[in-house]
Coordinates of all heavy atoms in Angstrom, one line a residue:
D24 N -6.3 13.8 -1.3 CA -6.7 13.5 0.1 C -7.2 12.1 0.2 O -6.8 11.4 1.2 CB -7.8 14.5 0.5 CG -7.3 15.8 1.0 OD1 -6.1 16.0 1.1 OD2 -8.1 16.7 1.2
Y25 N -8.1 11.6 -0.7 CA -8.6 10.3 -0.6 C -7.7 9.2 -1.0 O -7.8 8.1 -0.5 CB -9.9 10.2 -1.4 CG -11.1 10.9 -0.6 CD1 -11.5 12.2 -1.0 CD2 -11.7 10.3 0.5 CE1 -12.5 12.8 -0.3 CE2 -12.7 10.9 1.2 CZ -13.1 12.2 0.8 OH -14.1 12.8 1.5
L26 N -6.7 9.5 -1.8 CA -5.6 8.6 -2.1 C -4.8 8.3 -0.8 O -4.5 7.2 -0.5 CB -4.8 9.0 -3.2 CG -5.3 8.9 -4.6 CD1 -4.5 9.7 -5.6 CD2 -5.4 7.4 -5.1
N27 N -4.5 9.4 -0.1 CA -3.7 9.3 1.1 C -4.5 8.5 2.2 O -4.0 7.7 2.9 CB -3.3 10.7 1.6 CG -2.1 11.2 1.0 OD1 -1.0 10.6 1.1 ND2 -2.2 12.4 0.4
L28 N -5.8 8.8 2.3 CA -6.7 8.1 3.2 C -6.7 6.6 2.8 O -6.7 5.7 3.7 CB -8.1 8.7 3.2 CG -9.1 8.0 4.2 CD1 -8.6 8.1 5.6 CD2 -10.5 8.7 4.0
A29 N -6.8 6.3 1.6 CA -6.9 4.9 1.1 C -5.6 4.2 1.5 O -5.6 3.0 2.0 CB -7.1 4.8 -0.4
L30 N -4.5 4.8 1.3 CA -3.2 4.2 1.7 C -3.1 4.0 3.2 O -2.7 2.9 3.7 CB -2.0 5.1 1.3 CG -1.8 5.1 -0.2 CD1 -0.9 6.2 -0.6 CD2 -1.2 3.8 -0.7
D31 N -3.6 5.0 4.0 CA -3.7 4.8 5.5 C -4.7 3.7 5.9 O -4.5 3.1 6.9 CB -4.1 6.1 6.1 CG -3.1 7.2 5.9 OD1 -1.9 6.9 5.7 OD2 -3.5 8.4 6.1
N32 N -5.7 3.5 5.1 CA -6.7 2.5 5.4 C -6.3 1.1 4.9 O -7.1 0.1 5.0 CB -8.1 2.9 4.8 CG -8.8 3.9 5.6 OD1 -8.5 4.1 6.8 ND2 -9.7 4.7 5.0
G33 N -5.2 0.9 4.3 CA -4.7 -0.4 3.9 C -4.8 -0.7 2.5 O -4.4 -1.9 2.1
V34 N -5.2 0.2 1.6 CA -5.2 -0.1 0.2 C -3.7 0.1 -0.3 O -3.1 1.1 0.0 CB -6.1 0.9 -0.6 CG1 -6.1 0.6 -2.1 CG2 -7.5 0.9 -0.1
T35 N -3.2 -0.9 -0.9 CA -1.8 -0.8 -1.3 C -1.5 0.0 -2.5 O -2.4 0.2 -3.3 CB -1.2 -2.2 -1.5 OG1 -1.8 -2.8 -2.7 CG2 -1.5 -3.2 -0.4
P36 N -0.3 0.5 -2.7 CA 0.0 1.2 -4.0 C -0.3 0.4 -5.2 O -0.8 0.9 -6.2 CB 1.5 1.5 -3.8 CG 1.8 1.6 -2.4 CD 0.8 0.5 -1.8
A37 N 0.0 -0.9 -5.1 CA -0.3 -1.8 -6.3 C -1.8 -1.9 -6.6 O -2.2 -1.9 -7.7 CB 0.3 -3.2 -6.0
E38 N -2.6 -1.9 -5.5 CA -4.0 -1.9 -5.7 C -4.5 -0.6 -6.3 O -5.4 -0.6 -7.2 CB -4.7 -2.2 -4.4 CG -4.5 -3.7 -4.0 CD -5.0 -3.9 -2.5 OE1 -5.0 -3.0 -1.7 OE2 -5.3 -5.1 -2.2
I39 N -4.0 0.5 -5.9 CA -4.3 1.8 -6.4 C -4.0 1.8 -7.9 O -4.8 2.3 -8.8 CB -3.7 3.0 -5.7 CG1 -4.3 3.1 -4.3 CG2 -3.8 4.3 -6.5 CD1 -3.7 4.1 -3.4
S40 N -2.8 1.4 -8.2 CA -2.4 1.3 -9.6 C -3.4 0.5 -10.5 O -3.7 0.9 -11.6 CB -1.0 0.6 -9.7 OG -0.6 0.4 -11.1
E41 N -3.8 -0.7 -9.9 CA -4.8 -1.5 -10.7 C -6.1 -0.9 -10.8 O -6.8 -1.0 -11.8 CB -4.8 -2.9 -10.0 CG -3.6 -3.8 -10.3 CD -3.5 -4.1 -11.7 OE1 -4.5 -4.4 -12.4 OE2 -2.3 -4.0 -12.2
I42 N -6.5 -0.1 -9.7 CA -7.8 0.6 -9.8 C -7.8 1.6 -10.9 O -8.8 1.7 -11.7 CB -8.1 1.2 -8.4 CG1 -8.5 0.2 -7.3 CG2 -9.3 2.2 -8.5 CD1 -8.5 0.7 -5.9
V43 N -6.8 2.4 -11.0 CA -6.7 3.4 -12.0 C -6.7 2.7 -13.4 O -7.4 3.1 -14.3 CB -5.4 4.2 -11.9 CG1 -5.2 5.2 -13.1 CG2 -5.5 5.0 -10.6
T44 N -5.9 1.6 -13.6 CA -5.9 0.9 -14.8 C -7.2 0.3 -15.2 O -7.7 0.5 -16.3 CB -4.8 -0.2 -14.7 OG1 -3.6 0.3 -14.4 CG2 -4.7 -1.0 -16.0
H45 N -7.9 -0.3 -14.2 CA -9.2 -0.9 -14.5 C -10.2 0.2 -14.9 O -11.0 0.0 -15.9 CB -9.7 -1.6 -13.2 CG -10.9 -2.4 -13.4 ND1 -10.8 -3.7 -13.9 CD2 -12.2 -2.1 -13.2 CE1 -12.1 -4.2 -13.9 NE2 -12.9 -3.3 -13.5
L46 N -10.2 1.3 -14.3 CA -11.2 2.4 -14.6 C -10.9 3.0 -15.9 O -11.8 3.7 -16.5 CB -11.2 3.4 -13.4 CG -11.8 2.9 -12.2 CD1 -11.7 3.9 -11.0 CD2 -13.3 2.5 -12.4
A47 N -9.7 2.9 -16.5 CA -9.5 3.4 -17.8 C -10.5 2.8 -18.8 O -11.0 3.4 -19.7 CB -8.1 3.1 -18.3
F48 N -10.8 1.5 -18.6 CA -11.7 0.8 -19.5 C -13.2 1.0 -19.1 O -14.0 1.0 -20.0 CB -11.3 -0.7 -19.5 CG -10.0 -1.0 -20.1 CD1 -8.9 -1.0 -19.3 CD2 -9.9 -1.2 -21.4 CE1 -7.6 -1.3 -19.9 CE2 -8.6 -1.5 -22.0 CZ -7.5 -1.5 -21.2
Y49 N -13.4 1.2 -17.8 CA -14.8 1.3 -17.4 C -15.3 2.7 -17.3 O -16.6 2.9 -17.2 CB -15.1 0.5 -16.1 CG -15.2 -1.0 -16.4 CD1 -14.0 -1.8 -16.5 CD2 -16.4 -1.6 -16.8 CE1 -14.1 -3.2 -16.8 CE2 -16.5 -2.9 -17.1 CZ -15.4 -3.7 -17.1 OH -15.5 -5.0 -17.4
T50 N -14.5 3.7 -17.3 CA -14.9 5.1 -17.2 C -14.2 6.0 -18.2 O -14.5 7.2 -18.2 CB -14.8 5.7 -15.8 OG1 -13.4 5.8 -15.5 CG2 -15.4 4.7 -14.7
G51 N -13.3 5.5 -19.0 CA -12.6 6.3 -20.0 C -11.2 6.5 -19.7 O -10.7 6.7 -18.6
W52 N -10.4 6.5 -20.8 CA -8.9 6.7 -20.7 C -8.6 8.0 -20.1 O -7.7 8.1 -19.2 CB -8.4 6.6 -22.1 CG -7.1 5.9 -22.2 CD1 -5.8 6.4 -22.3 CD2 -6.9 4.4 -22.2 NE1 -4.9 5.4 -22.4 CE2 -5.5 4.2 -22.3 CE3 -7.7 3.3 -22.1 CZ2 -4.9 2.9 -22.3 CZ3 -7.2 2.1 -22.1 CH2 -5.8 1.9 -22.2
A53 N -9.3 9.1 -20.5 CA -8.9 10.4 -19.9 C -9.1 10.5 -18.4 O -8.3 11.2 -17.7 CB -9.7 11.5 -20.7
N54 N -10.1 9.9 -17.9 CA -10.4 9.9 -16.5 C -9.2 9.2 -15.7 O -8.8 9.7 -14.7 CB -11.7 9.2 -16.1 CG -12.9 10.0 -16.4 OD1 -12.8 11.2 -16.6 ND2 -14.0 9.4 -16.4
A55 N -8.7 8.1 -16.3 CA -7.6 7.4 -15.7 C -6.3 8.3 -15.7 O -5.6 8.4 -14.7 CB -7.4 6.1 -16.4
M56 N -6.1 8.9 -16.8 CA -4.9 9.8 -17.0 C -5.0 11.0 -16.0 O -4.0 11.4 -15.5 CB -4.8 10.3 -18.4 CG -4.4 9.1 -19.4 SD -2.8 8.4 -18.9 CE -2.7 7.1 -20.2
S57 N -6.2 11.5 -15.8 CA -6.3 12.6 -14.8 C -6.0 12.1 -13.4 O -5.4 12.8 -12.6 CB -7.8 13.1 -14.9 OG -8.1 13.7 -16.1
A58 N -6.4 10.9 -13.1 CA -6.1 10.3 -11.8 C -4.6 10.0 -11.7 O -4.0 10.2 -10.6 CB -6.8 9.0 -11.6
V59 N -3.9 9.6 -12.8 CA -2.5 9.4 -12.8 C -1.8 10.7 -12.3 O -0.8 10.7 -11.6 CB -2.0 8.9 -14.1 CG1 -0.5 9.1 -14.3 CG2 -2.4 7.5 -14.4
A60 N -2.2 11.8 -12.9 CA -1.5 13.1 -12.6 C -1.5 13.4 -11.1 O -0.6 14.0 -10.5 CB -2.2 14.2 -13.3
I61 N -2.6 13.0 -10.4 CA -2.7 13.3 -8.9 C -2.0 12.2 -8.2 O -1.2 12.4 -7.2 CB -4.2 13.3 -8.5 CG1 -5.0 14.4 -9.3 CG2 -4.3 13.6 -7.0 CD1 -4.5 15.8 -9.2
A62 N -2.2 10.9 -8.6 CA -1.6 9.8 -7.9 C -0.1 9.9 -7.9 O 0.6 9.5 -6.9 CB -2.1 8.5 -8.4
S63 N 0.5 10.3 -9.0 CA 1.9 10.4 -9.1 C 2.5 11.3 -8.0 O 3.6 11.0 -7.5 CB 2.4 10.8 -10.5 OG 1.9 12.2 -10.8
G64 N 1.8 12.4 -7.8 CA 2.3 13.3 -6.7 C 2.2 12.7 -5.3 O 3.1 12.9 -4.5
V65 N 1.1 12.0 -5.1 CA 0.9 11.3 -3.8 C 2.0 10.3 -3.6 O 2.6 10.1 -2.6 CB -0.5 10.7 -3.7 CG1 -0.6 9.8 -2.5 CG2 -1.5 11.8 -3.7
F66 N 2.2 9.5 -4.7 CA 3.2 8.4 -4.6 C 4.6 9.0 -4.3 O 5.4 8.5 -3.5 CB 3.2 7.6 -5.9 CG 2.1 6.6 -6.0 CD1 1.0 6.6 -5.1 CD2 2.1 5.7 -7.0 CE1 0.0 5.7 -5.2 CE2 1.1 4.7 -7.1 CZ 0.0 4.7 -6.2
K67 N 4.9 10.1 -5.0 CA 6.2 10.7 -4.8 C 6.4 11.2 -3.4 O 7.5 11.0 -2.8 CB 6.4 11.9 -5.8 CG 7.8 12.6 -5.7 CD 7.9 13.7 -6.8 CE 9.2 14.4 -6.7 NZ 9.4 15.4 -7.7
T68 N 5.4 11.9 -2.8 CA 5.4 12.4 -1.5 C 5.6 11.3 -0.5 O 6.3 11.4 0.5 CB 4.1 13.1 -1.2 OG1 4.0 14.3 -2.1 CG2 4.2 13.7 0.3
R69 N 5.0 10.1 -0.7 CA 5.1 9.0 0.2 C 6.2 8.0 -0.1 O 6.3 6.9 0.4 CB 3.8 8.3 0.3 CG 2.6 9.2 0.8 CD 1.3 8.5 0.8 NE 1.2 7.5 1.9 CZ 0.3 7.5 2.9 NH1 -0.6 8.4 2.9 NH2 0.3 6.5 3.8
N70 N 7.1 8.4 -1.1 CA 8.2 7.6 -1.5 C 7.8 6.2 -1.9 O 8.5 5.2 -1.6 CB 9.2 7.4 -0.3 CG 9.9 8.8 0.1 OD1 10.3 9.5 -0.8 ND2 9.9 9.0 1.4
I71 N 6.8 6.2 -2.7 CA 6.3 4.9 -3.3 C 6.9 4.8 -4.7 O 6.7 5.6 -5.6 CB 4.8 4.9 -3.4 CG1 4.1 4.9 -2.0 CG2 4.3 3.7 -4.2 CD1 2.6 5.1 -2.0

């Protein structure tokens, strides 16, 4: 839900990609991979 809202609010797919990548180092690799699993579905739905 919040990924979709972020895209609607002007956060770009590239910026979301970088946020996930950045947080792998600052909050742990597994947290980033968990986010990837959700973001991939959102990106697919929105044809990103």
Side-chain angles (χ1 to χ4, degrees):
D24 278 352
Y25 283 104
L26 283 166
N27 277 303
L28 180 61
L30 290 163
D31 293 341
N32 283 339
V34 183
T35 68
E38 289 169 335
I39 288 174
S40 175
E41 286 296 316
I42 288 169
V43 174
T44 302
H45 190 82
L46 289 173
F48 293 90
Y49 281 90
T50 70
W52 218 259
N54 283 347
M56 290 301 180
S57 294
V59 164
I61 305 299
S63 63
V65 172
F66 283 9
K67 182 178 181 180
T68 299
R69 296 179 72 123
N70 296 316
I71 296 170

